[in-house]
Amino acid sequence: MDAGTLLCPIPLNPNRPYSLRRFSFPRFIRASSTSQGDYKGPKPKREWVADWVSRNDDAVRSLPIYVGGASLLAVLVNRSVSGIAPVADASSAQSRADLLTLGLAVTNILVGLVWLSIRPKSISVVNPQGVKCQRIYSHLPDFVVSELLWLWESMSAVSCCRSLVIVYDSICILQIGIAAASSFDEVEPVVVDVNKLIQGSLYRGVLKSGSQSYLANLSLYPGKSELPFLPSNTQAVILQPLGDKGIAIIGGDTIRGFTTSDQSFVPSPLWSC
């Protein structure tokens, strides 16, 4: 089945009773491969320098200090054995060269100290705090349900996606993955309040722009309060508009965890009819 048949406008009637049905589908991933002989295509290029730097991070950060210290010591030794007066003389070419070298050596030492004091914050995968959820709008055709599940399986398998909510034509047609637990019953997921979501600034902003919005670090955005159905510790979110009738909300478990390829993949199965 072609993944492009997912949401070619689905005739939904908002006046029909809104009911949810739960499915228990086995997890699957569609893939195809050929086993005719060994792979003979181009092999990925290995970056030896980058690999060495990543394995020796502390040594690389300390390297400017060693270089600056050795340069400083070399200038002092050269000054003492060259027979030149220890007092700097502006008219002497040697003195001017020594002063310049001393400045470069001190700069190297300062750079090394800065590199050691400033380190990038380590980014780790978090375990979403919530309950498992799989709610699908009951009036969807079977082929649409199949495509929605294929989309979920694909994204959760190859990216940091842990939650997926699709709202279309003022109806929540899919809520799957990890959802926030209800305050009344901790084993029940929070139901998506579509009316409240539509009135929020995130939803209206994405539909107005007509382009994807990537919240790489959700905790920094005040609009996080408009997504109470996602786990409280959701790290990143992709907001993908579905024309002017809906939106797909994809929650991840890692800050800046969605790559450029992940962001490009999202609209393809949703609207490539």
Side-chain angles (χ1 to χ4, degrees), residues 214-226:
Y214 179 30
L215 310 182
N217 189 352
L218 186 61
S219 62
L220 301 179
Y221 294 88
K224 177 182 179 180
S225 59
E226 299 178 17

Side-chain angles (χ1 to χ4, degrees), residues 64-76 105 109:
I65 297 178
Y66 297 129
V67 173
S71 301
L72 184 61
L73 181 61
V75 171
L76 296 177
I109 294 175

Side-chain angles (χ1 to χ4, degrees), residues 27 29 124-135 151-165 174-180 189 229-238 249-255 257-258 262 266:
R27 296 180 65 86
I29 300 176
S124 58
V125 178
V126 303
N127 186 23
Q129 298 175 356
V131 295
K132 292 184 178 180
C133 174
Q134 185 164 293
R135 290 171 169 165
L151 172 64
W152 163 249
E153 294 291 341
S154 300
M155 294 200 61
S156 60
V158 302
S159 72
C160 68
C161 172
R162 295 297 174 264
S163 306
L164 175 60
V165 173
L174 179 67
Q175 183 183 10
I176 194 169
I178 306 298
F229 44 84
L230 294 180
S232 59
N233 61 340
T234 298
Q235 302 296 295
V237 166
I238 292 179
I249 303 172
I250 304 154
D253 59 5
T254 309
I255 295 176
F258 291 105
D262 297 333
V266 171

Side-chain angles (χ1 to χ4, degrees), residues 37-235:
D38 297 334
Y39 175 71
K40 298 181 180 180
K43 295 182 179 180
K45 183 180 179 181
R46 187 171 182 179
E47 298 292 342
W48 297 99
V49 176
D51 292 343
W52 183 86
V53 170
S54 63
R55 291 194 302 267
N56 301 274
D57 183 70
D58 291 336
V60 172
R61 290 177 181 275
S62 303
L63 187 59
I65 297 178
Y66 297 129
V67 173
S71 301
L72 184 61
L73 181 61
V75 171
L76 296 177
V77 171
N78 179 69
R79 188 80 180 186
S80 62
V81 300
S82 61
I84 302 175
V87 180
D89 183 4
S91 62
S92 171
Q94 182 64 42
S95 296
R96 293 194 296 270
D98 289 345
L99 289 175
L100 180 59
T101 306
L102 287 173
L104 294 176
V106 172
T107 301
N108 269 331
I109 294 175
L110 294 177
V111 168
L113 293 175
V114 170
W115 284 8
L116 288 175
S117 62
I118 301 178
R119 295 174 178 269
K121 183 179 180 181
S122 60
I123 299 176
S124 58
V125 178
V126 303
N127 186 23
Q129 298 175 356
V131 295
K132 292 184 178 180
C133 174
Q134 185 164 293
R135 290 171 169 165
I136 302 178
Y137 186 58
S138 59
H139 299 299
L140 291 178
D142 291 339
F143 77 91
V144 175
V145 173
S146 176
E147 293 298 329
L148 287 171
L149 293 176
W150 173 85
L151 172 64
W152 163 249
E153 294 291 341
S154 300
M155 294 200 61
S156 60
V158 302
S159 72
C160 68
C161 172
R162 295 297 174 264
S163 306
L164 175 60
V165 173
I166 296 180
V167 175
Y168 188 77
D169 204 11
S170 300
I171 298 174
C172 179
I173 65 175
L174 179 67
Q175 183 183 10
I176 194 169
I178 306 298
S182 173
S183 57
F184 301 101
D185 189 348
E186 294 184 354
V187 298
E188 287 294 324
V190 174
V191 178
V192 178
D193 188 341
V194 177
N195 293 329
K196 186 176 180 180
L197 176 64
I198 291 176
Q199 295 173 2
S201 59
L202 287 180
Y203 183 93
R204 290 186 284 106
V206 170
L207 261 64
K208 183 178 180 180
S209 66
S211 59
Q212 183 185 104
S213 178
Y214 179 30
L215 310 182
N217 189 352
L218 186 61
S219 62
L220 301 179
Y221 294 88
K224 177 182 179 180
S225 59
E226 299 178 17
L227 308 172
F229 44 84
L230 294 180
S232 59
N233 61 340
T234 298
Q235 302 296 295

